[in-house]
Amino acid sequence: MKEQPITNNFQFSSPCYPPLLHPSCSDPGPLEEDHHNHRAGLRVVSVSRTGHVETKSMGAEGIQGGPVTRRRSCVVWERPPKTVLVVRSRGSRQAEAVLRQVVWWLAKEKHLQVIVENEVANHSPDLPAIPVGEDVSRLERQVDFVICLGGDGLILHVCSALFPRAVPPVMSFNLGSLGFLTPFDVERYKQEVNNILEGERNQVTLRMRLQCTVHRVASHHQPTLFSEESSQESDHFAVSSSDDEVDDNSSSQPHGCGICHENANASYDKVVEIHVLNDVVIDRGPAPFLSNLLCYCDEHPVTRIQADGIIIATPTGSTAYSLSSGGSMVHPAVPGILFTPICPHSLSFRPVIFPDYVTLRIKVPYGARGDAWISFDGRKRMELFKGDSVCVKVSKWPVTTFCRVDQTRDWFSAVTRCLHWNDRQEQRPFDCRLDRKASPRRRGLSGNRKTTTTTRQMNCSSTENHVGADEDNPPPLSLIASPTVKPAQECDETECKNAFRTPTPTMTTTNLDETH
């Protein structure tokens, strides 16, 4: 099937209702008309931690974000959306059937221009949709939003294969096995899509991505194992290096990655640059021995990695491979870079979180026993040779995903539903009626404090008035026994809830008449 040019054959007939924004989000006015842009006008309105409202219009390069913690983010349609990309998971008959329903509904009832992948267009030529084509770079400038019918892996496929840089807002329906990033129910797709088009459901999560650049040693610059550069690496990462030496060297180090700097020498060649949503993994590959890698933070030597590998993940990827390797779960709105070792040789090598403004560089030293392997979101696996470096920093193009409720509730709902986080049977309470050694107050049987005080005064008065109350003639035990309490069967469940309160220390005397 030949590729057809994208034309605006369908007219958007539904009115664009005003969106439901946060009370502090004010509308700054319409956008300027851009005749070269085929997408609907879109702006991102964010509320910072201090309540400051920030508005950014989506320009020619798509939605961009920076290392800022946002309390609330939402999108505003300035013009009715025209084009939507619909993708589905491969090998799922349910996804195939749902895709046909969604495409026909969007094209005939909502009058939207629908784009599908080439495989879907070739398999179903009767669909009122056009294929992506061979040039996927034009999708960034023409697609208003994306509908995903599948699981979490489908979102990774969309970000890596179809939108390598700027990604339009993504609306994902759960048709996968896990569904951590897919909060919407496919049975309610008409109502959910209408909410997006009409602006009634406009809260989004700006998910941070990592920009990973692989640098390879140039052919004319191949240091040997005992070269001067190799000896400098050993000196920097030596265990006996003093703090004074590190401080002297760090004063002259520039911020960021020296290889990526504009004035870097010609010792390295840029091989590939990829933006990942979950993580980038560097491991030992098929080698039977440990990986030997060097880690730099803003060109400052940090540590030597001797493990099966290292995981550099985003907050979104914190619940993936990093979590399986002992890393922490991080909310997607927290700006940070996760640094999680894979089966480290040293037990003190624990996961850490770097701030989002730093640049990490992982290098394969010339003294390593073997090469290393790298993968980006579990894809595009390639080999790293001795001397190669990988520079990782926060990408300026986040992935914008629509929220079903808000970013916090959606995240905790996914953690509980998919990972069964802290899911255990509740601890059973004590049955206070069976605890004979517990004090009356612990058993919830003592009543109010006034009654207890009155009872004590009556007992003391009776003891003092007893004739012959001295050491030789003690009073009867019935007069100094514990105060009269109500029967155990009258203790209700409300009083038993107070069983864990610390009782007031009191003197108790065992009634010997009851024990015999």
Side-chain angles (χ1 to χ4, degrees):
M1 184 175 182
K2 292 186 178 180
E3 176 184 350
Q4 301 178 6
I6 297 180
T7 57
N8 298 329
N9 296 328
F10 301 103
Q11 300 293 330
F12 188 84
S13 59
S14 300
C16 186
Y17 296 96
L20 298 179
L21 294 177
H22 192 269
S24 59
C25 297
S26 58
D27 191 0
L31 292 173
E32 296 182 359
E33 186 72 20
D34 187 3
H35 301 284
H36 301 283
N37 191 358
H38 299 284
R39 295 176 302 186
L42 183 67
R43 66 161 61 97
V44 179
V45 183
S46 304
V47 181
S48 65
R49 294 171 295 179
T50 59
H52 175 69
V53 180
E54 179 184 1
T55 303
K56 289 186 178 181
S57 300
M58 185 176 64
E61 296 185 353
I63 298 178
Q64 299 184 11
V68 179
T69 303
R70 296 173 174 85
R71 185 175 60 187
R72 183 186 177 110
S73 298
C74 53
V75 295
V76 180
W77 299 111
E78 290 296 334
R79 291 182 294 272
K82 302 177 182 178
T83 307
V84 56
L85 172 66
V86 182
V87 294
R88 56 89 179 97
S89 297
R90 297 181 180 180
S92 174
R93 294 184 178 180
Q94 182 184 7
E96 292 282 352
V98 173
L99 180 136
R100 295 185 61 87
Q101 298 178 11
V102 172
V103 170
W104 278 101
W105 178 74
L106 291 174
K108 298 302 181 182
E109 295 189 20
K110 309 308 297 182
H111 304 285
L112 293 177
Q113 186 169 243
V114 183
I115 302 178
V116 296
E117 294 183 280
N118 299 330
E119 180 183 356
V120 176
N122 296 333
H123 184 266
S124 303
D126 59 323
L127 288 178
I130 58 178
V132 171
E134 299 298 332
D135 185 16
V136 297
S137 60
R138 64 192 180 98
L139 295 177
E140 298 180 3
R141 303 183 300 270
Q142 295 174 337
V143 175
D144 294 322
F145 68 102
V146 182
I147 295 180
C148 294
L149 305 174
D152 300 339
L154 180 60
I155 300 179
L156 300 179
H157 165 71
V158 169
C159 297
S160 60
L162 301 179
F163 299 96
R165 297 197 307 170
V167 183
V170 179
M171 184 180 188
S172 52
F173 291 90
N174 186 12
L175 286 176
S177 56
L178 188 61
F180 197 89
L181 302 178
T182 54
F184 293 98
D185 186 7
V186 70
E187 296 181 357
R188 304 176 64 252
Y189 75 90
K190 293 184 178 181
Q191 180 179 353
E192 299 293 352
V193 173
N194 280 328
N195 294 335
I196 297 298
L197 296 176
E198 297 172 0
E200 297 181 1
R201 185 70 57 81
N202 55 6
Q203 288 198 47
V204 295
T205 300
L206 299 179
R207 300 183 180 273
M208 185 186 77
R209 285 201 293 178
L210 296 177
Q211 176 182 337
C212 307
T213 308
V214 178
H215 298 276
R216 181 151 295 168
V217 180
S219 58
H220 62 276
H221 186 78
Q222 293 286 346
T224 60
L225 176 61
F226 302 100
S227 63
E228 181 180 357
E229 184 175 354
S230 301
S231 61
Q232 292 178 357
E233 294 175 353
S234 301
D235 294 339
H236 281 303
F237 291 90
V239 179
S240 60
S241 60
S242 62
D243 296 337
D244 296 337
E245 295 176 354
V246 175
D247 293 339
D248 294 340
N249 295 331
S250 62
S251 61
S252 59
Q253 295 293 345
H255 293 286
C257 177
I259 299 178
C260 299
H261 199 267
E262 297 178 357
N263 298 328
N265 52 32
S267 302
Y268 293 88
D269 296 331
K270 184 177 178 180
V271 178
V272 65
E273 178 179 309
I274 300 177
H275 300 263
V276 298
L277 176 60
N278 267 358
D279 49 41
V280 53
V281 180
I282 305 176
D283 56 70
R284 59 188 176 93
F289 32 77
L290 294 174
S291 297
N292 188 358
L293 305 171
L294 306 180
C295 176
Y296 299 85
C297 179
D298 288 340
E299 291 305 311
H300 172 74
V302 175
T303 187
R304 182 185 294 271
I305 304 171
Q306 297 184 94
D308 282 351
I310 190 69
I311 303 172
I312 304 177
T314 63
T316 299
S318 64
T319 53
Y321 195 4
S322 176
L323 182 62
S324 302
S325 300
S328 175
M329 294 191 303
V330 183
H331 191 278
V334 177
I337 302 176
L338 282 73
F339 188 82
T340 307
I342 306 174
C343 299
H345 186 268
S346 175
L347 297 180
S348 61
F349 192 7
R350 309 308 303 163
V352 296
I353 300 179
F354 286 92
D356 56 352
Y357 57 81
V358 303
T359 300
L360 300 179
R361 182 164 71 94
I362 310 298
K363 181 178 180 180
V364 183
Y366 293 99
R369 292 187 177 183
D371 300 332
W373 288 79
I374 185 173
S375 60
F376 309 92
D377 279 341
R379 295 169 171 81
K380 300 179 181 180
R381 189 171 174 84
M382 61 180 299
E383 187 175 3
L384 298 177
F385 302 99
K386 297 178 181 179
D388 293 355
S389 295
V390 181
C391 299
V392 182
K393 62 181 180 181
V394 175
S395 173
K396 66 177 181 179
W397 289 292
V399 175
T400 306
T401 57
F402 284 103
C403 301
R404 189 177 64 89
V405 182
D406 57 58
Q407 58 182 1
T408 299
R409 296 183 184 180
D410 287 0
W411 188 73
F412 276 105
S413 175
V415 168
T416 304
R417 173 174 49 88
C418 301
L419 302 181
H420 301 282
W421 177 60
N422 198 24
D423 185 10
R424 71 176 299 274
Q425 187 177 3
E426 184 181 358
Q427 188 180 32
R428 295 180 180 179
F430 287 129
D431 192 348
C432 307
R433 295 169 295 183
L434 301 179
D435 191 359
R436 295 180 177 271
K437 296 183 179 181
S439 63
R441 181 179 178 183
R442 177 175 287 272
R443 287 183 295 176
L445 307 176
S446 60
N448 54 25
R449 189 170 183 178
K450 183 177 180 180
T451 304
T452 305
T453 304
T454 305
T455 305
R456 290 179 181 175
Q457 293 176 355
M458 293 176 60
N459 293 336
C460 294
S461 177
S462 301
T463 304
E464 293 175 355
N465 295 333
H466 178 70
V467 179
D470 51 17
E471 295 182 358
D472 298 333
N473 300 310
L477 294 177
S478 58
L479 297 179
I480 61 175
S482 301
T484 305
V485 297
K486 57 183 177 180
Q489 59 270 17
E490 297 181 10
C491 176
D492 56 4
E493 295 295 333
T494 305
E495 294 177 336
C496 289
K497 291 183 179 179
N498 300 325
F500 292 97
R501 293 182 180 179
T502 304
T504 304
T506 56
M507 295 295 294
T508 58
T509 304
T510 305
N511 194 342
L512 298 179
D513 296 338
E514 296 178 358
T515 59
H516 293 282

